[in-house]
Amino acid sequence: MDIIQLITMLIIILTNGLAAMICAKYSRLPLTLCILFWGMLSSFIIPMSGFDTGLRSDNFQDLILFVLIPILVFEAALNLNTKVMRPLIGAILFSATIGMIIAASIAAAIMYYLIGETQGFPWIAALITGLVISATDPVAVVTQLKEAKAPEKLATLIEGESLFNDATAIVLYGILLAIALGEHQVTGMGGVWLLVKVMLGGSLVGAVLAKLAIFILKVIPATSANYTVTSLALAYGSFYLAEHILNLSGIIAVLIAALVAKNALLGLRANKVEIHQSWEFLSFVANLFVFYLMGLVFTFTMFSDQWFAMLIGILAAFVSRLVACYVSIGFGKFVLKHSVEWNYGPVMVWGGLRGVVTIALVLSLPVELHYWWTIQSIGFGVVLFTLVVQATTNPWLVRKIDFKQKLN
């Protein structure tokens, strides 16, 4: 992608973002869904104009992982209520690790037995697919919960789980992909150790760089511009060092960096509002790019070729999410003694949208795997279903549930 293509794509995306905002205002659809639809429309119009976007599957994944995700994760972490999250951290980590493995395993079993080896879909393909469709994206749901005045504990559970399970998904995806390509065999305990190592290592990188950023904040002028630049450098620096240099979890590094440096960044009341506004703007632009580009790479061929596999994937994603959420709630309630109510379950299940990470992972599948097209189609189908059906009906579900009622 050269500089002319880059500037042209920037103009196209921002223009379509304005059109999507108008669409969202008058249609009352979620903004992310409107952006996605405009991206899908552009996927027809742009090729007819003869313009080459420069987007390819390899650079699309890097664009999402290295440019957009650090902004989205850092901004989400800044907005997390740490007082609410602290007593829930055990339940969040369980949901994002054990809960996600449960969901991925159940989804894999459903898809394997319904699609099957006869269709060229072996167990390893089912496991990869189950994993990528289990990574959740709370962007639209958290906003809906705030507008509906749902318990902040519920929003924190959903958002915290999503931030951590994205990291789990990326790490496990690398392990499964290596097995699928025959690069090396990973034992059960070896996989667990690798997951623990990259998570703890990413946490250490994020914490160390956050401490360095806090020191820098003490010696530079206390202006909102300086604080925003420092936080931006922290987000990208922690992700790049962990993910690219040290082969650790970049998402965990960014998340921990934001949580550790949060009080220092937002400590000055005079700058707090400006810093929040700066990161809200960056997050909005990142989401605009993500969902527009997501729509741009959708191909309708997969809907005609792989519609049955997509339907099975949607079923598997729902059933596995249902089981994993209620197992996680039960674990938090009975083992960790958290006051997580059973009536949080329906919103956690239905609000488990799929998005950025799912698309980034399925687009990175090597074509040497003969089942890559099936996995990619299932991933796209699940993302589209959750955004079109679940995201639009979730506000109705939130209004119907009495969160003040205690269910034992």
Side-chain angles (χ1 to χ4, degrees), residues 251-287:
I251 290 181
I252 290 295
V254 176
L255 176 58
I256 297 302
L259 293 176
V260 172
K262 179 177 179 177
N263 288 337
L265 287 169
L266 305 177
L268 295 179
R269 293 183 178 180
N271 293 338
K272 185 175 181 178
V273 174
E274 287 84 353
I275 293 170
H276 267 304
Q277 289 176 340
S278 297
W279 274 99
E280 284 175 4
F281 167 74
L282 290 171
S283 177
F284 174 79
V285 173
N287 273 303

PDB file of all heavy atoms in Angstrom, residues 251-287:
ATOM      1  N   ILE A 251      -1.645  -8.019  23.767  1.00  0.00           N
ATOM      2  CA  ILE A 251      -2.900  -7.510  24.321  1.00  0.00           C
ATOM      3  C   ILE A 251      -2.823  -7.424  25.845  1.00  0.00           C
ATOM      4  O   ILE A 251      -3.226  -6.421  26.448  1.00  0.00           O
ATOM      5  CB  ILE A 251      -4.087  -8.396  23.891  1.00  0.00           C
ATOM      6  CG1 ILE A 251      -4.353  -8.225  22.399  1.00  0.00           C
ATOM      7  CG2 ILE A 251      -5.348  -8.057  24.689  1.00  0.00           C
ATOM      8  CD1 ILE A 251      -5.512  -9.030  21.879  1.00  0.00           C
ATOM      9  N   ILE A 252      -2.284  -8.469  26.485  1.00  0.00           N
ATOM     10  CA  ILE A 252      -2.138  -8.445  27.940  1.00  0.00           C
ATOM     11  C   ILE A 252      -1.178  -7.329  28.358  1.00  0.00           C
ATOM     12  O   ILE A 252      -1.404  -6.638  29.357  1.00  0.00           O
ATOM     13  CB  ILE A 252      -1.643  -9.806  28.458  1.00  0.00           C
ATOM     14  CG1 ILE A 252      -2.735 -10.863  28.308  1.00  0.00           C
ATOM     15  CG2 ILE A 252      -1.213  -9.717  29.918  1.00  0.00           C
ATOM     16  CD1 ILE A 252      -3.969 -10.615  29.151  1.00  0.00           C
ATOM     17  N   ALA A 253      -0.114  -7.128  27.588  1.00  0.00           N
ATOM     18  CA  ALA A 253       0.845  -6.069  27.904  1.00  0.00           C
ATOM     19  C   ALA A 253       0.172  -4.701  27.873  1.00  0.00           C
ATOM     20  O   ALA A 253       0.358  -3.883  28.784  1.00  0.00           O
ATOM     21  CB  ALA A 253       2.019  -6.106  26.920  1.00  0.00           C
ATOM     22  N   VAL A 254      -0.629  -4.436  26.838  1.00  0.00           N
ATOM     23  CA  VAL A 254      -1.340  -3.159  26.733  1.00  0.00           C
ATOM     24  C   VAL A 254      -2.363  -3.014  27.863  1.00  0.00           C
ATOM     25  O   VAL A 254      -2.483  -1.948  28.496  1.00  0.00           O
ATOM     26  CB  VAL A 254      -2.051  -3.036  25.374  1.00  0.00           C
ATOM     27  CG1 VAL A 254      -2.871  -1.748  25.302  1.00  0.00           C
ATOM     28  CG2 VAL A 254      -1.046  -3.057  24.245  1.00  0.00           C
ATOM     29  N   LEU A 255      -3.084  -4.084  28.140  1.00  0.00           N
ATOM     30  CA  LEU A 255      -4.113  -4.050  29.179  1.00  0.00           C
ATOM     31  C   LEU A 255      -3.504  -3.750  30.542  1.00  0.00           C
ATOM     32  O   LEU A 255      -3.991  -2.863  31.269  1.00  0.00           O
ATOM     33  CB  LEU A 255      -4.837  -5.407  29.201  1.00  0.00           C
ATOM     34  CG  LEU A 255      -5.898  -5.626  30.276  1.00  0.00           C
ATOM     35  CD1 LEU A 255      -6.993  -4.586  30.177  1.00  0.00           C
ATOM     36  CD2 LEU A 255      -6.475  -7.031  30.159  1.00  0.00           C
ATOM     37  N   ILE A 256      -2.443  -4.465  30.921  1.00  0.00           N
ATOM     38  CA  ILE A 256      -1.808  -4.248  32.219  1.00  0.00           C
ATOM     39  C   ILE A 256      -1.156  -2.868  32.273  1.00  0.00           C
ATOM     40  O   ILE A 256      -1.215  -2.175  33.299  1.00  0.00           O
ATOM     41  CB  ILE A 256      -0.763  -5.347  32.497  1.00  0.00           C
ATOM     42  CG1 ILE A 256      -1.441  -6.715  32.568  1.00  0.00           C
ATOM     43  CG2 ILE A 256      -0.011  -5.063  33.791  1.00  0.00           C
ATOM     44  CD1 ILE A 256      -2.527  -6.829  33.615  1.00  0.00           C
ATOM     45  N   ALA A 257      -0.536  -2.445  31.170  1.00  0.00           N
ATOM     46  CA  ALA A 257       0.083  -1.113  31.121  1.00  0.00           C
ATOM     47  C   ALA A 257      -0.945  -0.023  31.400  1.00  0.00           C
ATOM     48  O   ALA A 257      -0.695   0.908  32.168  1.00  0.00           O
ATOM     49  CB  ALA A 257       0.743  -0.891  29.761  1.00  0.00           C
ATOM     50  N   ALA A 258      -2.121  -0.138  30.783  1.00  0.00           N
ATOM     51  CA  ALA A 258      -3.170   0.851  30.982  1.00  0.00           C
ATOM     52  C   ALA A 258      -3.682   0.839  32.420  1.00  0.00           C
ATOM     53  O   ALA A 258      -3.893   1.902  33.034  1.00  0.00           O
ATOM     54  CB  ALA A 258      -4.327   0.605  30.018  1.00  0.00           C
ATOM     55  N   LEU A 259      -3.863  -0.348  32.987  1.00  0.00           N
ATOM     56  CA  LEU A 259      -4.392  -0.446  34.357  1.00  0.00           C
ATOM     57  C   LEU A 259      -3.384   0.078  35.381  1.00  0.00           C
ATOM     58  O   LEU A 259      -3.767   0.744  36.348  1.00  0.00           O
ATOM     59  CB  LEU A 259      -4.759  -1.898  34.672  1.00  0.00           C
ATOM     60  CG  LEU A 259      -5.940  -2.483  33.885  1.00  0.00           C
ATOM     61  CD1 LEU A 259      -6.130  -3.956  34.217  1.00  0.00           C
ATOM     62  CD2 LEU A 259      -7.224  -1.699  34.175  1.00  0.00           C
ATOM     63  N   VAL A 260      -2.087  -0.203  35.163  1.00  0.00           N
ATOM     64  CA  VAL A 260      -1.061   0.247  36.109  1.00  0.00           C
ATOM     65  C   VAL A 260      -0.866   1.756  36.022  1.00  0.00           C
ATOM     66  O   VAL A 260      -0.709   2.445  37.045  1.00  0.00           O
ATOM     67  CB  VAL A 260       0.277  -0.486  35.848  1.00  0.00           C
ATOM     68  CG1 VAL A 260       1.402   0.122  36.685  1.00  0.00           C
ATOM     69  CG2 VAL A 260       0.133  -1.967  36.161  1.00  0.00           C
ATOM     70  N   ALA A 261      -0.881   2.301  34.798  1.00  0.00           N
ATOM     71  CA  ALA A 261      -0.624   3.740  34.616  1.00  0.00           C
ATOM     72  C   ALA A 261      -1.887   4.586  34.714  1.00  0.00           C
ATOM     73  O   ALA A 261      -1.806   5.821  34.656  1.00  0.00           O
ATOM     74  CB  ALA A 261       0.040   3.974  33.258  1.00  0.00           C
ATOM     75  N   LYS A 262      -3.025   3.951  34.875  1.00  0.00           N
ATOM     76  CA  LYS A 262      -4.308   4.654  34.829  1.00  0.00           C
ATOM     77  C   LYS A 262      -4.396   5.799  35.831  1.00  0.00           C
ATOM     78  O   LYS A 262      -4.763   6.931  35.477  1.00  0.00           O
ATOM     79  CB  LYS A 262      -5.442   3.658  35.064  1.00  0.00           C
ATOM     80  CG  LYS A 262      -6.825   4.271  35.055  1.00  0.00           C
ATOM     81  CD  LYS A 262      -7.885   3.195  35.227  1.00  0.00           C
ATOM     82  CE  LYS A 262      -9.279   3.798  35.236  1.00  0.00           C
ATOM     83  NZ  LYS A 262     -10.326   2.755  35.343  1.00  0.00           N
ATOM     84  N   ASN A 263      -4.055   5.540  37.080  1.00  0.00           N
ATOM     85  CA  ASN A 263      -4.176   6.573  38.116  1.00  0.00           C
ATOM     86  C   ASN A 263      -3.248   7.750  37.849  1.00  0.00           C
ATOM     87  O   ASN A 263      -3.613   8.906  38.088  1.00  0.00           O
ATOM     88  CB  ASN A 263      -3.879   5.977  39.494  1.00  0.00           C
ATOM     89  CG  ASN A 263      -4.993   5.063  39.968  1.00  0.00           C
ATOM     90  OD1 ASN A 263      -6.130   5.172  39.532  1.00  0.00           O
ATOM     91  ND2 ASN A 263      -4.668   4.145  40.856  1.00  0.00           N
ATOM     92  N   ALA A 264      -2.052   7.467  37.340  1.00  0.00           N
ATOM     93  CA  ALA A 264      -1.118   8.549  37.029  1.00  0.00           C
ATOM     94  C   ALA A 264      -1.611   9.379  35.857  1.00  0.00           C
ATOM     95  O   ALA A 264      -1.513  10.604  35.848  1.00  0.00           O
ATOM     96  CB  ALA A 264       0.259   7.979  36.736  1.00  0.00           C
ATOM     97  N   LEU A 265      -2.166   8.700  34.832  1.00  0.00           N
ATOM     98  CA  LEU A 265      -2.652   9.411  33.657  1.00  0.00           C
ATOM     99  C   LEU A 265      -3.877  10.257  33.955  1.00  0.00           C
ATOM    100  O   LEU A 265      -4.050  11.344  33.403  1.00  0.00           O
ATOM    101  CB  LEU A 265      -2.991   8.396  32.549  1.00  0.00           C
ATOM    102  CG  LEU A 265      -1.811   7.732  31.842  1.00  0.00           C
ATOM    103  CD1 LEU A 265      -2.298   6.580  30.983  1.00  0.00           C
ATOM    104  CD2 LEU A 265      -1.071   8.753  30.981  1.00  0.00           C
ATOM    105  N   LEU A 266      -4.744   9.747  34.820  1.00  0.00           N
ATOM    106  CA  LEU A 266      -6.002  10.437  35.102  1.00  0.00           C
ATOM    107  C   LEU A 266      -6.003  11.120  36.461  1.00  0.00           C
ATOM    108  O   LEU A 266      -7.041  11.579  36.929  1.00  0.00           O
ATOM    109  CB  LEU A 266      -7.163   9.426  35.032  1.00  0.00           C
ATOM    110  CG  LEU A 266      -7.280   8.628  33.727  1.00  0.00           C
ATOM    111  CD1 LEU A 266      -8.415   7.625  33.824  1.00  0.00           C
ATOM    112  CD2 LEU A 266      -7.514   9.566  32.550  1.00  0.00           C
ATOM    113  N   GLY A 267      -4.828  11.177  37.079  1.00  0.00           N
ATOM    114  CA  GLY A 267      -4.758  11.710  38.437  1.00  0.00           C
ATOM    115  C   GLY A 267      -5.038  13.198  38.535  1.00  0.00           C
ATOM    116  O   GLY A 267      -5.587  13.676  39.531  1.00  0.00           O
ATOM    117  N   LEU A 268      -4.632  13.948  37.518  1.00  0.00           N
ATOM    118  CA  LEU A 268      -4.855  15.387  37.543  1.00  0.00           C
ATOM    119  C   LEU A 268      -6.248  15.704  37.020  1.00  0.00           C
ATOM    120  O   LEU A 268      -6.571  15.427  35.875  1.00  0.00           O
ATOM    121  CB  LEU A 268      -3.803  16.109  36.692  1.00  0.00           C
ATOM    122  CG  LEU A 268      -2.356  16.012  37.192  1.00  0.00           C
ATOM    123  CD1 LEU A 268      -1.433  16.747  36.239  1.00  0.00           C
ATOM    124  CD2 LEU A 268      -2.230  16.595  38.592  1.00  0.00           C
ATOM    125  N   ARG A 269      -7.074  16.271  37.882  1.00  0.00           N
ATOM    126  CA  ARG A 269      -8.455  16.544  37.491  1.00  0.00           C
ATOM    127  C   ARG A 269      -8.537  17.479  36.291  1.00  0.00           C
ATOM    128  O   ARG A 269      -9.446  17.387  35.469  1.00  0.00           O
ATOM    129  CB  ARG A 269      -9.222  17.134  38.671  1.00  0.00           C
ATOM    130  CG  ARG A 269      -9.428  16.149  39.818  1.00  0.00           C
ATOM    131  CD  ARG A 269     -10.269  16.770  40.919  1.00  0.00           C
ATOM    132  NE  ARG A 269     -10.492  15.808  41.997  1.00  0.00           N
ATOM    133  CZ  ARG A 269     -11.196  16.092  43.089  1.00  0.00           C
ATOM    134  NH1 ARG A 269     -11.731  17.290  43.247  1.00  0.00           N
ATOM    135  NH2 ARG A 269     -11.349  15.174  44.027  1.00  0.00           N
ATOM    136  N   ALA A 270      -7.580  18.395  36.194  1.00  0.00           N
ATOM    137  CA  ALA A 270      -7.614  19.370  35.099  1.00  0.00           C
ATOM    138  C   ALA A 270      -7.437  18.682  33.741  1.00  0.00           C
ATOM    139  O   ALA A 270      -7.921  19.175  32.721  1.00  0.00           O
ATOM    140  CB  ALA A 270      -6.518  20.414  35.297  1.00  0.00           C
ATOM    141  N   ASN A 271      -6.729  17.550  33.722  1.00  0.00           N
ATOM    142  CA  ASN A 271      -6.444  16.866  32.466  1.00  0.00           C
ATOM    143  C   ASN A 271      -7.325  15.648  32.232  1.00  0.00           C
ATOM    144  O   ASN A 271      -7.349  15.105  31.125  1.00  0.00           O
ATOM    145  CB  ASN A 271      -4.979  16.400  32.434  1.00  0.00           C
ATOM    146  CG  ASN A 271      -4.011  17.567  32.382  1.00  0.00           C
ATOM    147  OD1 ASN A 271      -4.382  18.656  31.968  1.00  0.00           O
ATOM    148  ND2 ASN A 271      -2.786  17.338  32.822  1.00  0.00           N
ATOM    149  N   LYS A 272      -8.043  15.200  33.264  1.00  0.00           N
ATOM    150  CA  LYS A 272      -8.764  13.933  33.190  1.00  0.00           C
ATOM    151  C   LYS A 272      -9.772  13.912  32.041  1.00  0.00           C
ATOM    152  O   LYS A 272      -9.821  12.966  31.254  1.00  0.00           O
ATOM    153  CB  LYS A 272      -9.472  13.668  34.515  1.00  0.00           C
ATOM    154  CG  LYS A 272     -10.162  12.326  34.586  1.00  0.00           C
ATOM    155  CD  LYS A 272     -10.727  12.087  35.977  1.00  0.00           C
ATOM    156  CE  LYS A 272     -11.403  10.723  36.061  1.00  0.00           C
ATOM    157  NZ  LYS A 272     -11.925  10.452  37.417  1.00  0.00           N
ATOM    158  N   VAL A 273     -10.579  14.960  31.933  1.00  0.00           N
ATOM    159  CA  VAL A 273     -11.611  15.011  30.898  1.00  0.00           C
ATOM    160  C   VAL A 273     -10.986  15.041  29.514  1.00  0.00           C
ATOM    161  O   VAL A 273     -11.419  14.321  28.603  1.00  0.00           O
ATOM    162  CB  VAL A 273     -12.528  16.238  31.099  1.00  0.00           C
ATOM    163  CG1 VAL A 273     -13.509  16.364  29.943  1.00  0.00           C
ATOM    164  CG2 VAL A 273     -13.281  16.121  32.415  1.00  0.00           C
ATOM    165  N   GLU A 274      -9.932  15.851  29.351  1.00  0.00           N
ATOM    166  CA  GLU A 274      -9.292  15.968  28.038  1.00  0.00           C
ATOM    167  C   GLU A 274      -8.659  14.652  27.603  1.00  0.00           C
ATOM    168  O   GLU A 274      -8.733  14.273  26.428  1.00  0.00           O
ATOM    169  CB  GLU A 274      -8.225  17.073  28.069  1.00  0.00           C
ATOM    170  CG  GLU A 274      -8.769  18.477  28.115  1.00  0.00           C
ATOM    171  CD  GLU A 274      -9.107  18.915  29.537  1.00  0.00           C
ATOM    172  OE1 GLU A 274      -9.042  18.060  30.450  1.00  0.00           O
ATOM    173  OE2 GLU A 274      -9.444  20.091  29.729  1.00  0.00           O
ATOM    174  N   ILE A 275      -8.037  13.944  28.543  1.00  0.00           N
ATOM    175  CA  ILE A 275      -7.397  12.671  28.201  1.00  0.00           C
ATOM    176  C   ILE A 275      -8.446  11.639  27.816  1.00  0.00           C
ATOM    177  O   ILE A 275      -8.287  10.903  26.835  1.00  0.00           O
ATOM    178  CB  ILE A 275      -6.533  12.171  29.377  1.00  0.00           C
ATOM    179  CG1 ILE A 275      -5.350  13.123  29.583  1.00  0.00           C
ATOM    180  CG2 ILE A 275      -6.025  10.753  29.112  1.00  0.00           C
ATOM    181  CD1 ILE A 275      -4.577  12.875  30.847  1.00  0.00           C
ATOM    182  N   HIS A 276      -9.543  11.587  28.589  1.00  0.00           N
ATOM    183  CA  HIS A 276     -10.632  10.675  28.243  1.00  0.00           C
ATOM    184  C   HIS A 276     -11.181  10.997  26.852  1.00  0.00           C
ATOM    185  O   HIS A 276     -11.438  10.093  26.045  1.00  0.00           O
ATOM    186  CB  HIS A 276     -11.753  10.765  29.278  1.00  0.00           C
ATOM    187  CG  HIS A 276     -11.627   9.759  30.376  1.00  0.00           C
ATOM    188  ND1 HIS A 276     -11.547   8.401  30.138  1.00  0.00           N
ATOM    189  CD2 HIS A 276     -11.567   9.894  31.724  1.00  0.00           C
ATOM    190  CE1 HIS A 276     -11.449   7.754  31.283  1.00  0.00           C
ATOM    191  NE2 HIS A 276     -11.451   8.635  32.263  1.00  0.00           N
ATOM    192  N   GLN A 277     -11.364  12.284  26.576  1.00  0.00           N
ATOM    193  CA  GLN A 277     -11.899  12.678  25.272  1.00  0.00           C
ATOM    194  C   GLN A 277     -10.939  12.319  24.142  1.00  0.00           C
ATOM    195  O   GLN A 277     -11.370  11.876  23.066  1.00  0.00           O
ATOM    196  CB  GLN A 277     -12.194  14.181  25.264  1.00  0.00           C
ATOM    197  CG  GLN A 277     -13.389  14.576  26.119  1.00  0.00           C
ATOM    198  CD  GLN A 277     -13.592  16.072  26.172  1.00  0.00           C
ATOM    199  OE1 GLN A 277     -12.676  16.859  25.892  1.00  0.00           O
ATOM    200  NE2 GLN A 277     -14.790  16.500  26.548  1.00  0.00           N
ATOM    201  N   SER A 278      -9.646  12.486  24.388  1.00  0.00           N
ATOM    202  CA  SER A 278      -8.648  12.138  23.372  1.00  0.00           C
ATOM    203  C   SER A 278      -8.697  10.651  23.056  1.00  0.00           C
ATOM    204  O   SER A 278      -8.683  10.245  21.880  1.00  0.00           O
ATOM    205  CB  SER A 278      -7.241  12.515  23.848  1.00  0.00           C
ATOM    206  OG  SER A 278      -7.129  13.916  24.026  1.00  0.00           O
ATOM    207  N   TRP A 279      -8.789   9.820  24.093  1.00  0.00           N
ATOM    208  CA  TRP A 279      -8.815   8.377  23.869  1.00  0.00           C
ATOM    209  C   TRP A 279     -10.154   7.910  23.314  1.00  0.00           C
ATOM    210  O   TRP A 279     -10.207   6.949  22.545  1.00  0.00           O
ATOM    211  CB  TRP A 279      -8.462   7.635  25.158  1.00  0.00           C
ATOM    212  CG  TRP A 279      -6.978   7.508  25.285  1.00  0.00           C
ATOM    213  CD1 TRP A 279      -6.132   8.271  26.024  1.00  0.00           C
ATOM    214  CD2 TRP A 279      -6.150   6.577  24.586  1.00  0.00           C
ATOM    215  NE1 TRP A 279      -4.833   7.877  25.838  1.00  0.00           N
ATOM    216  CE2 TRP A 279      -4.814   6.837  24.958  1.00  0.00           C
ATOM    217  CE3 TRP A 279      -6.402   5.550  23.681  1.00  0.00           C
ATOM    218  CZ2 TRP A 279      -3.737   6.105  24.455  1.00  0.00           C
ATOM    219  CZ3 TRP A 279      -5.333   4.803  23.186  1.00  0.00           C
ATOM    220  CH2 TRP A 279      -4.021   5.094  23.572  1.00  0.00           C
ATOM    221  N   GLU A 280     -11.225   8.573  23.665  1.00  0.00           N
ATOM    222  CA  GLU A 280     -12.523   8.246  23.057  1.00  0.00           C
ATOM    223  C   GLU A 280     -12.494   8.539  21.562  1.00  0.00           C
ATOM    224  O   GLU A 280     -13.043   7.774  20.755  1.00  0.00           O
ATOM    225  CB  GLU A 280     -13.635   9.042  23.732  1.00  0.00           C
ATOM    226  CG  GLU A 280     -14.020   8.516  25.105  1.00  0.00           C
ATOM    227  CD  GLU A 280     -15.051   9.400  25.792  1.00  0.00           C
ATOM    228  OE1 GLU A 280     -15.502  10.377  25.153  1.00  0.00           O
ATOM    229  OE2 GLU A 280     -15.395   9.112  26.944  1.00  0.00           O
ATOM    230  N   PHE A 281     -11.843   9.645  21.196  1.00  0.00           N
ATOM    231  CA  PHE A 281     -11.719   9.982  19.772  1.00  0.00           C
ATOM    232  C   PHE A 281     -10.874   8.934  19.045  1.00  0.00           C
ATOM    233  O   PHE A 281     -11.257   8.447  17.970  1.00  0.00           O
ATOM    234  CB  PHE A 281     -11.079  11.363  19.613  1.00  0.00           C
ATOM    235  CG  PHE A 281     -10.626  11.666  18.214  1.00  0.00           C
ATOM    236  CD1 PHE A 281     -11.548  11.963  17.214  1.00  0.00           C
ATOM    237  CD2 PHE A 281      -9.279  11.638  17.880  1.00  0.00           C
ATOM    238  CE1 PHE A 281     -11.137  12.219  15.914  1.00  0.00           C
ATOM    239  CE2 PHE A 281      -8.858  11.904  16.590  1.00  0.00           C
ATOM    240  CZ  PHE A 281      -9.786  12.195  15.606  1.00  0.00           C
ATOM    241  N   LEU A 282      -9.720   8.566  19.632  1.00  0.00           N
ATOM    242  CA  LEU A 282      -8.857   7.571  19.005  1.00  0.00           C
ATOM    243  C   LEU A 282      -9.580   6.229  18.871  1.00  0.00           C
ATOM    244  O   LEU A 282      -9.479   5.554  17.841  1.00  0.00           O
ATOM    245  CB  LEU A 282      -7.580   7.391  19.836  1.00  0.00           C
ATOM    246  CG  LEU A 282      -6.593   8.564  19.829  1.00  0.00           C
ATOM    247  CD1 LEU A 282      -5.501   8.343  20.868  1.00  0.00           C
ATOM    248  CD2 LEU A 282      -5.971   8.728  18.443  1.00  0.00           C
ATOM    249  N   SER A 283     -10.325   5.851  19.910  1.00  0.00           N
ATOM    250  CA  SER A 283     -11.064   4.599  19.876  1.00  0.00           C
ATOM    251  C   SER A 283     -12.164   4.632  18.826  1.00  0.00           C
ATOM    252  O   SER A 283     -12.399   3.643  18.119  1.00  0.00           O
ATOM    253  CB  SER A 283     -11.675   4.302  21.253  1.00  0.00           C
ATOM    254  OG  SER A 283     -12.444   3.135  21.227  1.00  0.00           O
ATOM    255  N   PHE A 284     -12.830   5.771  18.705  1.00  0.00           N
ATOM    256  CA  PHE A 284     -13.892   5.900  17.699  1.00  0.00           C
ATOM    257  C   PHE A 284     -13.323   5.742  16.291  1.00  0.00           C
ATOM    258  O   PHE A 284     -13.880   5.020  15.460  1.00  0.00           O
ATOM    259  CB  PHE A 284     -14.583   7.263  17.827  1.00  0.00           C
ATOM    260  CG  PHE A 284     -15.591   7.521  16.748  1.00  0.00           C
ATOM    261  CD1 PHE A 284     -16.856   6.955  16.803  1.00  0.00           C
ATOM    262  CD2 PHE A 284     -15.271   8.321  15.658  1.00  0.00           C
ATOM    263  CE1 PHE A 284     -17.785   7.178  15.791  1.00  0.00           C
ATOM    264  CE2 PHE A 284     -16.187   8.556  14.647  1.00  0.00           C
ATOM    265  CZ  PHE A 284     -17.454   7.978  14.721  1.00  0.00           C
ATOM    266  N   VAL A 285     -12.200   6.393  16.022  1.00  0.00           N
ATOM    267  CA  VAL A 285     -11.574   6.294  14.703  1.00  0.00           C
ATOM    268  C   VAL A 285     -11.107   4.863  14.440  1.00  0.00           C
ATOM    269  O   VAL A 285     -11.282   4.325  13.335  1.00  0.00           O
ATOM    270  CB  VAL A 285     -10.394   7.276  14.587  1.00  0.00           C
ATOM    271  CG1 VAL A 285      -9.631   7.049  13.278  1.00  0.00           C
ATOM    272  CG2 VAL A 285     -10.893   8.714  14.652  1.00  0.00           C
ATOM    273  N   ALA A 286     -10.539   4.211  15.475  1.00  0.00           N
ATOM    274  CA  ALA A 286     -10.082   2.830  15.313  1.00  0.00           C
ATOM    275  C   ALA A 286     -11.255   1.908  15.007  1.00  0.00           C
ATOM    276  O   ALA A 286     -11.163   1.041  14.129  1.00  0.00           O
ATOM    277  CB  ALA A 286      -9.355   2.367  16.576  1.00  0.00           C
ATOM    278  N   ASN A 287     -12.373   2.084  15.727  1.00  0.00           N
ATOM    279  CA  ASN A 287     -13.557   1.268  15.461  1.00  0.00           C
ATOM    280  C   ASN A 287     -14.120   1.533  14.070  1.00  0.00           C
ATOM    281  O   ASN A 287     -14.583   0.614  13.387  1.00  0.00           O
ATOM    282  CB  ASN A 287     -14.638   1.540  16.510  1.00  0.00           C
ATOM    283  CG  ASN A 287     -14.471   0.680  17.741  1.00  0.00           C
ATOM    284  OD1 ASN A 287     -14.445  -0.551  17.658  1.00  0.00           O
ATOM    285  ND2 ASN A 287     -14.340   1.312  18.888  1.00  0.00           N
TER     286      ASN A 287
END
